């Protein structure tokens, strides 16, 4: 008897998308960050479930089922207005993700990464539960603004900040990405960290404590420059992509901490745009690893001549990642900096140098080595497959569409 994994996969996918109608609030009152998180959940789930089909039959059923639990829990979190319901949905989402990491682990280091992720999940959960206790049940059934007080607000900042992750709790995410399979990386950066950002957004709105928002913004700034400073020393391409996740999600939290309609819009837009770009980047890394047998930048090169179709797709991905004019991240940068330069020019200048000069130069230099670097002649590798072109094309198409300016 052969278990019908294909049927299970299809049922999981259909169940996940049908759960949307049950998870949305009846009044449809979602703000821009909630809508963006919902979009990230849906945009990230399709490539995740498609990639699970390449898994061995023994792992396919568990990965698809756990992925369904993760997606449904994320939808439940978006729809929830009660703190206890958000907490339960978040824990279900994280535990099912850890199970996927363990299920797809191929080494002892991957299992260690899963354990470290579990430890940090428990730390965040302890913060949320402590916050519940300090609130004493007074504000656990509404997302309306209320003066929580500093102590419970800090507990919720810890609880959700660990999941973004904010500095200095970024190590677990980097380790998990480096050791995990590609579908887990898409799951983690595609929408799990977006749920953490949404949790912080709701925390800042409900707590109504300005100093907590400033603390979140300060930690995000430190996290931005800390992650950027690590990039030049990296040789593992996947770790580079993981660091870009840290940079962009800390950027989203910085926008939330600064406050104001424009900055909150930027945070929401970043959540959706990053889901598309990170899916592209992690899948590209997987494609390169299959062809070159390594993720070490020193041994990957000559892609432009050896696989022109894959090279063209990677060029488009890099242009989107650096915020080339007309792409999604370009509009996010435009709105973010036009608002920030008038309010905090002292912060806008160093961030502008980072986002508009340093990071684009770094990524173009890195990928130029992959495209044109000489590794003893043209490597004998195959070009992009139909499945790779489909997944990369869908993600890239979302990144190119100029949905940003009208909605941010």
């Amino acid at each position: 008897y052969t278990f019908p994994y294909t049927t299970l996969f299809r049922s999981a996918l259909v169940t996940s998308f049908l759960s949307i109608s049950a998870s949305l609030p009846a009044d449809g009152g979602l703000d821009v960050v909630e809508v963006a998180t919902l979009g990230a959940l849906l945009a990230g789930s399709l490539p995740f479930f498609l990639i699970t089909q390449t898994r061995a039959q023994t792992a396919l059923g568990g990965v698809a089922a756990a992925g369904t639990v993760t997606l449904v829990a994320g939808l439940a979190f978006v729809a929830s207005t009660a703190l206890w319901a958000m907490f339960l949905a978040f824990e279900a989402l994280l535990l099912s993700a850890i199970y996927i990491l363990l299920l797809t682990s191929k080494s002892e280091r991957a299992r260690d990464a899963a354990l470290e992720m579990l430890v940090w999940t428990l730390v965040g959960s302890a913060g949320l539960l402590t916050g519940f206790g300090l609130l004493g049940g007074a504000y656990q059934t509404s997302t309306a603004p209320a003066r929580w007080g500093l102590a419970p607000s800090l507990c919720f900042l810890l609880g959700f900040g660990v999941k973004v992750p904010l500095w200095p709790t970024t190590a677990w995410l980097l380790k998990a990405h480096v050791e995990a399979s590609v579908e887990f990386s898409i799951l983690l950066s595609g929408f799990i960290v977006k749920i953490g950002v949404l949790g912080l957004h709701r925390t800042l709105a409900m707590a109504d404590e300005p100093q907590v928002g400033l603390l979140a913004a300060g930690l995000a700034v430190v996290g931005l420059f800390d992650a950027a400073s690590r990039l030049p020393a990296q040789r593992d391409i996947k770790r580079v992509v993981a660091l870009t996740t840290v940079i962009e999600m800390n950027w989203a939290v910085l926008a939330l901490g600064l406050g104001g309609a424009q900055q909150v819009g930027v945070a929401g837009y970043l959540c959706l745009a990053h889901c598309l770009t990170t899916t592209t980047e992690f899948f590209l890394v997987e494609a390169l690893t299959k062809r070159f047998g390594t993720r070490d930048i020193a041994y990957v090169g000559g892609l432009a001549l050896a696989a022109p179709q894959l090279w063209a797709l990677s060029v488009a991905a890099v242009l989107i990642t650096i915020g080339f004019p007309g792409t999604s991240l370009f509009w996010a940068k435009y709105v973010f900096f036009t608002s920030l330069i008038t309010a905090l020019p002292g912060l806008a200048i160093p961030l502008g140098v980072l986002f508009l000069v340093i990071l684009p130069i770094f990524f173009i230099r890195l990928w130029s080595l992959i495209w044109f670097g000489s590794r003893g002649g043209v490597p004998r590798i195959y070009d992009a497959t139909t499945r790779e072109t489909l997944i990369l094309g869908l993600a890239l198409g979302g990144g190119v569409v100029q949905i940003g300016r009208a909605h941010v």
Side-chain angles (χ1 to χ4, degrees):
Y1 174 73
T2 302
F3 191 85
Y5 287 110
T6 302
T7 301
L8 176 62
F9 158 72
R10 291 170 180 169
S11 300
L13 191 58
V14 171
T15 301
S16 301
F17 281 92
L18 288 179
S19 65
I20 302 168
S21 58
S23 67
L24 292 177
D27 60 1
L30 298 178
D31 68 17
V32 63
V33 180
E34 292 167 336
V35 170
T37 304
L38 177 61
L41 288 169
L42 302 182
S45 64
L46 180 58
F48 170 80
F49 282 116
L50 286 174
I51 294 170
T52 59
Q53 291 297 283
T54 64
R55 281 280 156 203
Q57 293 293 299
T58 54
L60 173 58
V63 173
T68 302
V69 172
T70 303
L71 178 57
V72 172
L75 293 169
F77 186 95
V78 174
S80 300
T81 57
L83 291 176
W84 65 267
M86 287 190 285
F87 171 76
L88 293 177
F90 203 24
E91 294 307 300
L93 180 150
L94 290 168
L95 291 175
S96 59
I98 293 171
Y99 175 70
I100 293 173
L101 179 56
L102 287 171
L103 197 62
T104 58
S105 297
K106 296 180 180 180
S107 65
E108 189 64 32
R109 291 186 302 178
R111 288 184 283 273
D112 289 343
L115 178 60
E116 187 170 340
M117 182 178 174
L118 176 61
V119 170
W120 280 108
T121 295
L122 294 175
V123 170
S125 300
L128 294 175
L129 289 173
T130 303
F132 283 136
L134 292 174
L135 288 175
Y139 303 110
Q140 295 187 24
T141 58
S142 174
T143 55
R147 298 291 298 205
W148 280 4
L150 186 59
S153 301
L154 291 175
C155 289
F156 276 86
L157 176 62
L158 170 65
F160 288 119
V162 165
K163 313 302 194 303
V164 172
L166 286 175
W167 185 87
T169 63
T170 57
W172 71 265
L173 181 135
L174 299 176
K175 188 173 182 179
H177 273 310
V178 169
E179 302 300 337
S181 61
V182 62
E183 66 265 42
F184 177 81
S185 291
I186 290 174
L187 185 78
L188 180 57
S189 278
F191 56 81
I192 290 179
V193 297
K194 310 302 186 296
I195 297 294
V197 173
L198 176 58
L200 275 180
H201 169 56
R202 288 178 170 175
T203 294
L204 296 176
M206 286 188 283
D208 196 23
E209 294 287 344
Q211 56 269 56
V212 176
L214 292 176
L215 176 59
L219 292 174
V221 170
V222 175
L224 280 169
F225 285 98
D226 175 65
S229 68
R230 298 187 193 185
L231 282 172
Q234 304 305 318
R235 293 185 56 170
D236 188 324
I237 308 173
K238 197 173 187 185
R239 191 174 180 87
V240 171
V241 177
L243 283 167
T244 63
T245 291
V246 175
I247 290 171
E248 292 188 12
M249 288 301 94
N250 276 262
W251 178 13
V253 173
L254 171 59
L256 290 175
L258 293 174
Q262 280 191 312
Q263 295 293 6
V264 171
V266 168
Y269 189 63
L270 281 172
C271 286
L272 180 56
H274 178 261
C275 173
L276 300 170
T277 59
T278 195
T279 296
T280 305
E281 291 164 357
F282 279 120
F283 198 72
L284 274 173
V285 171
E286 180 73 3
L288 292 173
T289 304
K290 288 179 179 178
R291 287 159 174 81
F292 291 94
T294 180
R295 299 196 306 249
D296 192 326
I297 298 169
Y299 299 100
V300 178
L303 186 66
L305 293 177
Q309 189 174 348
L310 187 60
W311 167 74
L313 290 168
S314 67
V315 169
V318 172
L319 292 178
I320 294 171
T321 299
I322 66 175
F324 191 79
T327 60
S328 55
L329 289 181
F330 169 79
W331 297 117
K333 290 180 180 180
Y334 174 80
V335 176
F336 176 78
F337 283 108
T338 52
S339 174
L340 186 64
I341 194 68
T342 56
L344 295 169
L347 178 61
I349 293 173
L351 285 177
V353 172
L354 176 65
F355 280 112
L356 304 178
V357 180
I358 296 176
L359 290 179
I361 291 175
F362 170 80
F363 283 112
I364 291 173
R365 180 180 177 276
L366 168 68
W367 281 95
S368 294
L369 293 174
I370 296 172
W371 296 332
F372 309 112
S374 176
R375 300 293 183 269
V378 178
R380 295 182 179 180
I381 58 175
Y382 57 94
D383 210 339
T385 65
T386 302
R387 184 175 69 93
E388 290 171 339
T389 303
L390 173 63
I391 294 176
L392 289 171
L394 288 172
L396 289 171
V400 172
V401 172
Q402 298 181 17
I403 59 176
R405 195 170 188 182
H407 295 281
V408 173

